[in-house]
Structure formats: structure tokens, C-alpha cells
């Protein structure tokens, strides 16, 4: 069994939980799971969701089944198995400020230190192998020193911390108190795998760390198009790419400081792949409620080809945003457990290179996702002896 805890019971978490149980029950094929046709030692059927956390007052105290039924029950049957897991109250730290009203948060009724202790005690009962962070995009900067994180928590400095940083610290504290190894998956832009000091602490404690910001739809497509241009020596003149959707994460991204975090992770690949930077506009650009989770992606790329002539590419896509990331999580949870089994720790670059927009550790370069997938399979073959299906 791969015991898994979800941080943030939003749309991604709902699709992850529902899709996972439906795959395990043989109801649907594992489309959207990149390694589904690769024989890993750890199987999809081993994944067991044992805990969930959120700060939305409409979700806390409900089961995952109840939350998923309300949010995606019209588009998918909800497995009865999800009635077994209750959504618990987590830490908030402004993660939903300006996005939702009626939010909770343990730090609102106790010190942050006590809140962390309560979470760690709950994790003792759950005995997780993997913790998946998919809370709403929040604004944060890397820490100067890991002691700074601990000092802010002990000093109850809630204004200078992000919820993701607190959860990453709680994972370290859980390891220290129980001696159990656990992998941390950071699928949002808050720098964790790109925070040098957090990476060092995860290495020191023997914990695998995946991040930052799951690469799902438009970003992998852009990366692969850039690789196409680079291998044919075509000079890219500019890139325009925008995304509009109506889910909670896109509502949060209407706040400039949060949008900036996403813009950084989306744009970081251009110079890495092309070898030069180009004028670009690549970021979430709007929220329109009727679009729901099925976002609009539009792209325009202009480039020079042979004889110095100009060509252009235009792309328009409507895609289900949250399921695209949920499918990646099925792989990341299994790889997290494989890393624990094999003693692999710190920011695991071969994993982050394929699954993340801004792969850690700090200073790592991006490549196209097609090439990254081949490198991932080569790495898995070395450490896990995988056999392709």
C-alpha cells in the first residue's frame, strides 16, 4: 500500500481521488497517466488515500465523497470508497485571501507551532508514504535559511509564511519524530524543490522532494514546440500563450502576486530549450466562471525559417484543466514510494524534469517534455528495473 495524504481538496484532488478509485475498480482505462503502460514495481492499485486537508468551511468535516459529489458529481460517478476519508482542517496563511469567504485555518485558533504539532500527530495515525500538495496557488519566496522557517513558525509569524512552506516543514518534523520516510510532492508554484535550504533539509533527512508546479497542458505543448524549433534551427521571434478558466485556481490567479508565481514557472523553460530568450507573454490571463474547469488555451508563435522567411503557428485548445494534473499525480505518488524504497532523496531532477514546470533543484535546466519522458524512463530503468508494456 502507498498511503497518501492530499493537501487541498479542490478540483484536482477530487479528480485524482475519483479517477484513482475508478481505475482501481476497473471502471475506466488509465488515460492521462504517463507511465500507465510502463511496468513499475509499484502499482496504481497500491495507492490508498488516507487523509485530506482543506480550509474551505464548506469542505472541512465532510468526506471526500461528499465534496466530490457536489463539485464533479454531474460529470463522473463518485466511488463509495471515498466515504471513508474525512477532510480535515489545515493551515490557511492567506492562501485563499481574496478568493473565498468563510475560510478556516488551524492557526486562527491556536499558535502556528501548535497547529503543526496537531497535523504531525494526525499524520502519526495515518502513517503516510506520500504527501501531495495541491492547494491554491500562493505567493512566496525561497527562504534564506531553514532556521528562518522554524523561527517564523515558533514565533507565530503568520504574515511571512506560505501554507506550502508550513506543510513542507511539518513533513520534516514528522520524519524527525517518527523516523518514517515520506515523499513530498509540490504541484503548485510555491518554491519548495527550488528552495535551496528546504532541498538540503530533505536530503539530510533522506526524503524525496518533487516540484515545483505540475506541467499539464499548455506548458508541455509549448516546451515541445520550442524543441521542434531548436532542432530545426528555426529562430523564434516571439511567443504568446494565454489561459482562461473558471475554476478556483484561476480565480486566485486574478491576484497579481499569485499570477506572478505562475508566470515565473511557465516562462522559465524558454531560454533553457532555445539557448536564447525571446519576447514572450506566457501566463494565466483571466477568469470567466462559465468556462468552469474546461479552460481555453491559445498560442501564437512566429519564427524565421530557411531563406529568412517568416512562418507562424496558431493553436486553440479547450481542455479539462484539473484532470490533466490529477493524472500526473498517479505517477508521482508511485515514484515517491519507489524513491523511498531505493533510498533516493532531495529534489529528484529526473522526475521533476518531466512532471514539473520549474524542475528542482535550484538552477536546473528545462528541456522538452518528450525528451524528458525518455530520460525519466531511462532513470526508472536504472533504479527500478522497469519493463515497458
Amino acid at each position: 500500500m502507498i498511503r497518501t495524504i492530499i493537501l487541498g481538496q479542490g478540483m484536482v484532488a477530487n479528480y485524482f481521488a475519483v479517477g484513482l478509485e475508478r481505475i482501481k475498480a476497473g471502471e475506466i482505462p488509465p488515460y492521462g497517466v504517463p507511465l500507465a503502460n510502463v511496468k513499475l514495481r509499484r502499482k496504481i492499485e497500491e495507492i490508498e488515500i488516507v487523509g485530506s486537508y482543506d480550509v474551505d468551511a464548506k469542505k472541512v468535516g465532510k468526506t471526500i465523497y461528499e465534496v466530490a459529489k457536489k463539485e464533479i458529481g454531474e460529470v463522473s460517478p463518485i466511488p463509495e470508497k471515498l466515504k471513508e476519508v474525512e477532510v480535515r482542517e489545515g493551515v490557511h496563511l492567506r492562501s485563499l485571501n481574496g478568493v473565498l469567504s468563510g475560510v478556516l485555518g488551524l492557526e486562527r485558533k491556536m499558535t502556528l507551532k501548535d497547529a503543526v504539532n496537531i497535523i504531525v500527530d494526525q499524520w502519526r495515525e495515518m502513517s503516510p508514504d506520500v504527501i501531495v500538495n495541491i492547494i491554491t496557488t500562493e505567493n512566496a519566496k525561497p527562504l534564506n535559511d531553514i532556521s528562518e522557517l522554524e523561527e517564523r513558525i515558533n514565533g507565530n509569524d503568520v504574515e511571512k509564511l506560505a501554507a506550502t512552506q508550513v506543510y513542507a516543514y511539518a513533513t520534516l518534523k514528522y520524519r524527525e519524530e517518527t523516523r518514517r520516510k515520506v515523499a513530498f510532492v509540490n504541484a503548485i508554484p510555491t518554491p519548495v524543490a527550488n528552495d535551496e535550504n528546504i532541498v538540503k533539509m530533505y536530503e539530510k533527512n533522506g526524503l524525496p522532494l518533487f516540484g515545483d508546479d505540475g506541467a499539464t497542458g499548455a506548458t508541455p505543448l509549448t516546451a515541445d514546440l520550442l524543441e521542434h524549433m531548436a532542432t530545426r534551427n528555426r529562430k523564434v521571434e516571439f511567443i504568446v500563450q494565454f489561459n482562461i478558466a473558471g475554476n478556483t485556481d484561476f480565480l486566485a490567479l486574478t491576484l497579481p502576486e499569485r499570477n506572478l508565481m505562475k508566470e515565473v514557472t511557465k516562462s522559465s523553460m524558454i531560454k533553457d530549450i532555445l539557448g536564447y530568450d525571446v519576447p514572450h507573454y506566457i501566463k494565466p490571463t483571466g477568469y470567466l466562471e462559465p468556462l468552469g474547469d474546461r479552460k481555453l488555451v491559445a498560442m501564437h508563435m512566429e519564427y524565421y525559417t530557411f531563406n529568412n522567411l517568416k512562418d507562424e503557428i496558431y493553436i486553440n485548445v479547450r481542455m479539462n484543466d484539473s484532470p490533466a494534473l490529477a493524472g500526473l499525480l498517479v505517477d508521482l505518488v508511485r515514484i515517491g514510494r519507489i524513491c523511498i524504497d531505493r533510498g533516493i532523496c532531495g529534489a529528484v531532477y529526473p522526475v521533476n524534469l518531466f512532471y514539473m514546470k520549474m524542475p528542482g533543484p535550484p538552477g536546473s535546466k528545462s528541456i522538452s517534455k518528450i525528451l524528458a519522458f525518455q530520460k525519466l524512463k531511462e532513470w526508472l530503468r536504472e533504479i527500478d528495473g522497469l519493463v515497458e508494456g
Side-chain angles (χ1 to χ4, degrees), residues 166-187:
V166 173
Y167 284 128
Y169 172 78
T171 303
L172 289 167
K173 189 172 177 62
Y174 171 78
R175 163 64 168 161
E176 178 185 346
E177 293 187 5
T178 66
R179 307 314 304 161
R180 283 183 57 87
K181 289 185 178 181
V182 59
F184 191 86
V185 179
N186 182 45

Short mmCIF file of all heavy atoms in Angstrom, two decimals, residues 166-187:
data_model
loop_
_atom_site.label_atom_id
_atom_site.label_comp_id
_atom_site.label_asym_id
_atom_site.label_seq_id
_atom_site.Cartn_x
_atom_site.Cartn_y
_atom_site.Cartn_z
N VAL A 166 4.83 25.73 5.39
CA VAL A 166 4.49 25.12 6.68
C VAL A 166 4.29 23.62 6.53
O VAL A 166 4.76 22.82 7.35
CB VAL A 166 3.25 25.80 7.29
CG1 VAL A 166 2.79 25.06 8.56
CG2 VAL A 166 3.55 27.25 7.62
N TYR A 167 3.61 23.21 5.48
CA TYR A 167 3.40 21.78 5.24
C TYR A 167 4.73 21.07 4.95
O TYR A 167 4.94 19.93 5.38
CB TYR A 167 2.43 21.57 4.08
CG TYR A 167 0.98 21.82 4.42
CD1 TYR A 167 0.20 22.68 3.65
CD2 TYR A 167 0.38 21.18 5.50
CE1 TYR A 167 -1.14 22.90 3.95
CE2 TYR A 167 -0.96 21.39 5.81
CZ TYR A 167 -1.72 22.26 5.03
OH TYR A 167 -3.04 22.47 5.34
N ALA A 168 5.61 21.73 4.21
CA ALA A 168 6.93 21.14 3.92
C ALA A 168 7.71 20.96 5.22
O ALA A 168 8.43 19.96 5.41
CB ALA A 168 7.71 22.01 2.95
N TYR A 169 7.59 21.92 6.14
CA TYR A 169 8.24 21.83 7.44
C TYR A 169 7.61 20.72 8.28
O TYR A 169 8.31 19.94 8.95
CB TYR A 169 8.14 23.17 8.17
CG TYR A 169 8.61 23.13 9.60
CD1 TYR A 169 9.97 23.15 9.90
CD2 TYR A 169 7.70 23.05 10.66
CE1 TYR A 169 10.41 23.10 11.22
CE2 TYR A 169 8.13 23.01 11.97
CZ TYR A 169 9.49 23.03 12.25
OH TYR A 169 9.92 22.97 13.55
N ALA A 170 6.27 20.64 8.27
CA ALA A 170 5.57 19.60 9.03
C ALA A 170 6.02 18.21 8.58
O ALA A 170 6.13 17.28 9.39
CB ALA A 170 4.06 19.76 8.86
N THR A 171 6.29 18.07 7.28
CA THR A 171 6.78 16.79 6.76
C THR A 171 8.13 16.44 7.37
O THR A 171 8.38 15.29 7.75
CB THR A 171 6.87 16.85 5.23
OG1 THR A 171 5.59 17.20 4.69
CG2 THR A 171 7.31 15.52 4.64
N LEU A 172 9.01 17.44 7.45
CA LEU A 172 10.32 17.22 8.08
C LEU A 172 10.17 16.87 9.56
O LEU A 172 10.87 16.00 10.08
CB LEU A 172 11.18 18.47 7.93
CG LEU A 172 11.69 18.79 6.51
CD1 LEU A 172 12.25 20.20 6.45
CD2 LEU A 172 12.75 17.78 6.08
N LYS A 173 9.26 17.55 10.23
CA LYS A 173 9.03 17.30 11.66
C LYS A 173 8.45 15.89 11.86
O LYS A 173 8.82 15.18 12.80
CB LYS A 173 8.09 18.36 12.24
CG LYS A 173 7.95 18.32 13.75
CD LYS A 173 7.16 19.52 14.25
CE LYS A 173 6.95 19.45 15.76
NZ LYS A 173 8.22 19.46 16.51
N TYR A 174 7.57 15.48 10.96
CA TYR A 174 7.02 14.13 11.01
C TYR A 174 8.12 13.09 10.89
O TYR A 174 8.14 12.09 11.62
CB TYR A 174 5.98 13.96 9.90
CG TYR A 174 5.48 12.54 9.72
CD1 TYR A 174 4.54 12.00 10.59
CD2 TYR A 174 5.96 11.74 8.69
CE1 TYR A 174 4.08 10.70 10.44
CE2 TYR A 174 5.51 10.44 8.53
CZ TYR A 174 4.57 9.92 9.40
OH TYR A 174 4.13 8.64 9.24
N ARG A 175 9.05 13.34 9.97
CA ARG A 175 10.19 12.43 9.78
C ARG A 175 11.04 12.37 11.05
O ARG A 175 11.44 11.30 11.51
CB ARG A 175 11.02 12.92 8.59
CG ARG A 175 12.43 12.37 8.48
CD ARG A 175 12.46 10.89 8.27
NE ARG A 175 13.79 10.44 7.87
CZ ARG A 175 14.23 9.20 7.95
NH1 ARG A 175 13.43 8.24 8.43
NH2 ARG A 175 15.43 8.87 7.57
N GLU A 176 11.29 13.55 11.64
CA GLU A 176 12.13 13.62 12.84
C GLU A 176 11.50 12.87 14.01
O GLU A 176 12.20 12.16 14.75
CB GLU A 176 12.34 15.09 13.22
CG GLU A 176 13.16 15.31 14.48
CD GLU A 176 13.23 16.76 14.88
OE1 GLU A 176 12.87 17.64 14.06
OE2 GLU A 176 13.63 17.02 16.04
N GLU A 177 10.20 12.98 14.17
CA GLU A 177 9.54 12.41 15.35
C GLU A 177 9.19 10.93 15.18
O GLU A 177 9.10 10.20 16.18
CB GLU A 177 8.27 13.21 15.66
CG GLU A 177 8.57 14.64 16.13
CD GLU A 177 7.34 15.37 16.61
OE1 GLU A 177 6.25 14.73 16.67
OE2 GLU A 177 7.44 16.55 16.94
N THR A 178 8.97 10.48 13.96
CA THR A 178 8.53 9.09 13.75
C THR A 178 9.60 8.22 13.10
O THR A 178 9.47 6.99 13.11
CB THR A 178 7.29 9.05 12.84
OG1 THR A 178 7.64 9.50 11.52
CG2 THR A 178 6.17 9.91 13.41
N ARG A 179 10.61 8.86 12.50
CA ARG A 179 11.67 8.18 11.73
C ARG A 179 11.14 7.53 10.46
O ARG A 179 11.85 6.83 9.76
CB ARG A 179 12.42 7.12 12.57
CG ARG A 179 12.98 7.61 13.89
CD ARG A 179 13.71 8.94 13.77
NE ARG A 179 14.79 8.90 12.78
CZ ARG A 179 15.32 10.00 12.22
NH1 ARG A 179 14.86 11.19 12.51
NH2 ARG A 179 16.31 9.87 11.35
N ARG A 180 9.87 7.78 10.13
CA ARG A 180 9.31 7.26 8.89
C ARG A 180 9.67 8.18 7.72
O ARG A 180 9.62 9.40 7.85
CB ARG A 180 7.78 7.15 8.97
CG ARG A 180 7.28 5.96 9.77
CD ARG A 180 5.76 5.92 9.73
NE ARG A 180 5.24 5.88 8.36
CZ ARG A 180 5.05 4.77 7.66
NH1 ARG A 180 5.32 3.60 8.21
NH2 ARG A 180 4.58 4.81 6.43
N LYS A 181 10.01 7.58 6.59
CA LYS A 181 10.28 8.37 5.40
C LYS A 181 8.98 8.66 4.65
O LYS A 181 8.10 7.80 4.57
CB LYS A 181 11.24 7.62 4.47
CG LYS A 181 12.66 7.53 5.00
CD LYS A 181 13.58 6.90 3.98
CE LYS A 181 15.02 6.85 4.50
NZ LYS A 181 15.93 6.25 3.49
N VAL A 182 8.90 9.87 4.10
CA VAL A 182 7.71 10.26 3.35
C VAL A 182 8.15 11.19 2.23
O VAL A 182 9.03 12.03 2.41
CB VAL A 182 6.67 10.94 4.28
CG1 VAL A 182 7.25 12.16 4.96
CG2 VAL A 182 5.41 11.29 3.52
N ALA A 183 7.56 11.03 1.05
CA ALA A 183 7.86 11.88 -0.10
C ALA A 183 6.90 13.07 -0.11
O ALA A 183 5.72 12.92 0.23
CB ALA A 183 7.74 11.09 -1.39
N PHE A 184 7.41 14.24 -0.51
CA PHE A 184 6.59 15.44 -0.60
C PHE A 184 6.50 15.86 -2.05
O PHE A 184 7.51 16.08 -2.71
CB PHE A 184 7.18 16.57 0.24
CG PHE A 184 6.27 17.76 0.41
CD1 PHE A 184 5.33 17.79 1.42
CD2 PHE A 184 6.36 18.86 -0.44
CE1 PHE A 184 4.48 18.89 1.58
CE2 PHE A 184 5.53 19.96 -0.29
CZ PHE A 184 4.58 19.98 0.74
N VAL A 185 5.26 15.95 -2.57
CA VAL A 185 5.01 16.35 -3.96
C VAL A 185 4.43 17.75 -3.95
O VAL A 185 3.32 17.97 -3.45
CB VAL A 185 4.02 15.38 -4.65
CG1 VAL A 185 3.76 15.83 -6.09
CG2 VAL A 185 4.55 13.95 -4.60
N ASN A 186 5.16 18.71 -4.51
CA ASN A 186 4.67 20.09 -4.57
C ASN A 186 4.25 20.41 -6.00
O ASN A 186 5.07 20.74 -6.85
CB ASN A 186 5.74 21.08 -4.11
CG ASN A 186 5.22 22.50 -4.12
OD1 ASN A 186 4.11 22.76 -3.66
ND2 ASN A 186 5.98 23.43 -4.67
N ALA A 187 2.94 20.32 -6.24
CA ALA A 187 2.43 20.51 -7.60
C ALA A 187 1.93 21.93 -7.85
O ALA A 187 1.24 22.18 -8.84
CB ALA A 187 1.31 19.52 -7.88
#
